[in-house]
Amino acid sequence: MSDATNPETPENPDDDRSKPATPAEPSAPAAPEAPAASDALVGPDTPEQQQQTGRQRLAAGLWPPRVSRAQLIVALLLFVLGLGLAIQVRSTSDNSALRGARQEDLVRILDELDDRTQRLEDEKARLETQRSELESSSDQAEEARKQTQEKEQQLGILAGTVAAEGPGITLTIRGAAAAVESDMLLDAIQELRAAGAEAIQVNDVRVVADSYFSGSGADIEIDGTKVTAPYVFKVIGKPEDLEPALNIPGGVVQTLEKEQATATVARSQKIVVDALRPAKRPDYAQSSSQ
């Protein structure tokens, strides 16, 4: 009789529950890491490098500067350009005064330049005529004497030592003694001179470049000679220029009318200025011509 009571169970190799646990072997300690190649080459910072600040490191990196050839050429070109601009500004700075002038001032300057140019042109033409006459004259000595006499007459008229006549105006000022002051008469003289008057006489006094007015009211004097109203101005010059100069707005005529005085202007083709001044011989000045 077969024994089938405890059949033999096949053994499962995957079942390890019946086997006792085997303790794990202790692991070996890890080997220390080798230092990086860059750290081995550079090495640790020295104490001096560790003490430097960021600003010191920046300065050490910027100086001494490393300038290339191209940078030197650019710097040289910029220097030449700046020098040229400075010279240009300096050369044009002389006209700054005229650039800042008003339109009225520029017009006045142009008018004065035109008048001066015209006078110089006239003087040039006169001198050229005299030269031609001297060169063409058969008797040059006589011609020179004639021109000298004409020059003497012209200077005598300006100095008041010679009588003169020609076209001009007559200005008559009437008013109370307190209405007309010496400065008003002087203003009239200045306006007439600016308009081109060549010879002026007030009452019986010849007015020249060095004449002066003094006093007031009924005691007005010209060069020490007393003059009384009415004040009669005899003026030789271009009537078309003299009369408008006195009648401009705010001029001599309107100023006298505000002071309750009257001023009348009359044109004439023949004004005689015959009041004379004695010729004065200079004490110190003498001719510089050889």
Side-chain angles (χ1 to χ4, degrees), residues 118-130:
Q118 185 61 40
R119 289 195 299 268
L120 292 176
E121 291 291 340
D122 295 341
E123 182 68 14
K124 177 183 177 182
R126 186 181 64 81
L127 293 176
E128 289 178 349
T129 302
Q130 291 181 358

Side-chain angles (χ1 to χ4, degrees), residues 215-256:
S216 61
D219 298 326
I220 296 178
E221 295 182 354
I222 302 176
D223 296 336
T225 301
K226 185 176 180 179
V227 292
T228 56
Y231 306 101
V232 180
F233 290 66
K234 296 180 180 180
V235 186
I236 296 178
K238 189 176 180 180
E240 293 79 5
D241 295 338
L242 298 175
E243 183 179 3
L246 298 174
N247 290 313
I248 60 175
V252 175
V253 175
Q254 287 191 1
T255 301
L256 291 170

Side-chain angles (χ1 to χ4, degrees), residues 47 64 120 140 152 164 183 185:
L120 292 176
Q140 295 184 359
E152 181 181 1
D183 58 344
L185 302 181

Side-chain angles (χ1 to χ4, degrees), residues 206-221:
R206 185 72 169 267
V207 178
V208 293
D210 59 350
S211 295
Y212 63 92
F213 289 72
S214 61
S216 61
D219 298 326
I220 296 178
E221 295 182 354

Side-chain angles (χ1 to χ4, degrees), residues 24-288:
E25 296 181 358
S27 61
E33 292 185 3
S38 59
D39 295 341
L41 293 177
V42 174
D45 292 341
T46 62
E48 291 79 3
Q49 292 178 345
Q50 294 177 355
Q51 293 178 358
Q52 287 183 346
T53 62
R55 184 179 299 178
Q56 291 175 343
R57 292 183 181 181
L58 179 61
L62 294 177
W63 188 263
R66 298 178 181 179
V67 182
S68 64
R69 183 177 180 181
Q71 291 175 340
L72 287 176
I73 295 175
V74 172
L76 180 60
L77 292 176
L78 291 177
F79 173 75
V80 174
L81 178 61
L83 181 61
L85 291 176
I87 295 174
Q88 181 69 21
V89 171
R90 184 174 182 181
S91 63
T92 57
S93 61
D94 297 337
N95 299 327
S96 59
L98 293 179
R99 290 180 179 177
R102 298 178 302 174
Q103 184 177 2
E104 295 80 1
D105 297 334
L106 293 176
V107 172
R108 178 179 56 80
I109 293 173
L110 289 176
D111 292 340
E112 292 177 355
L113 291 176
D114 292 340
D115 295 340
R116 185 179 303 175
T117 302
Q118 185 61 40
R119 289 195 299 268
L120 292 176
E121 291 291 340
D122 295 341
E123 182 68 14
K124 177 183 177 182
R126 186 181 64 81
L127 293 176
E128 289 178 349
T129 302
Q130 291 181 358
R131 184 186 64 180
S132 300
E133 292 175 352
L134 288 173
E135 291 176 350
S136 61
S137 176
S138 58
D139 189 355
Q140 295 184 359
E142 182 63 25
E143 184 65 27
R145 188 180 301 109
K146 179 182 177 180
Q147 293 184 5
T148 302
Q149 290 176 355
E150 292 178 356
K151 191 68 174 179
E152 181 181 1
Q153 291 290 326
Q154 294 174 1
L155 295 177
I157 292 174
L158 296 177
T161 59
V162 177
E165 65 178 29
I169 64 170
T170 300
L171 170 65
T172 304
I173 299 176
R174 293 182 175 88
V180 181
E181 298 291 341
S182 60
D183 58 344
M184 299 179 184
L185 302 181
L186 180 59
D187 290 341
I189 295 294
Q190 298 293 352
E191 291 290 346
L192 292 170
R193 284 175 175 169
E198 298 177 352
I200 303 175
Q201 174 179 331
V202 179
N203 290 2
D204 295 330
V205 181
R206 185 72 169 267
V207 178
V208 293
D210 59 350
S211 295
Y212 63 92
F213 289 72
S214 61
S216 61
D219 298 326
I220 296 178
E221 295 182 354
I222 302 176
D223 296 336
T225 301
K226 185 176 180 179
V227 292
T228 56
Y231 306 101
V232 180
F233 290 66
K234 296 180 180 180
V235 186
I236 296 178
K238 189 176 180 180
E240 293 79 5
D241 295 338
L242 298 175
E243 183 179 3
L246 298 174
N247 290 313
I248 60 175
V252 175
V253 175
Q254 287 191 1
T255 301
L256 291 170
E257 290 176 351
K258 290 180 181 179
E259 299 296 333
Q260 304 302 319
T262 59
T264 58
V265 181
R267 298 186 184 185
S268 177
Q269 292 300 318
K270 184 179 181 180
I271 299 293
V272 178
V273 176
D274 53 5
L276 304 179
R277 294 174 61 92
K280 294 182 180 180
R281 184 180 182 87
D283 297 328
Y284 304 102
Q286 58 183 358
S287 177
S288 59

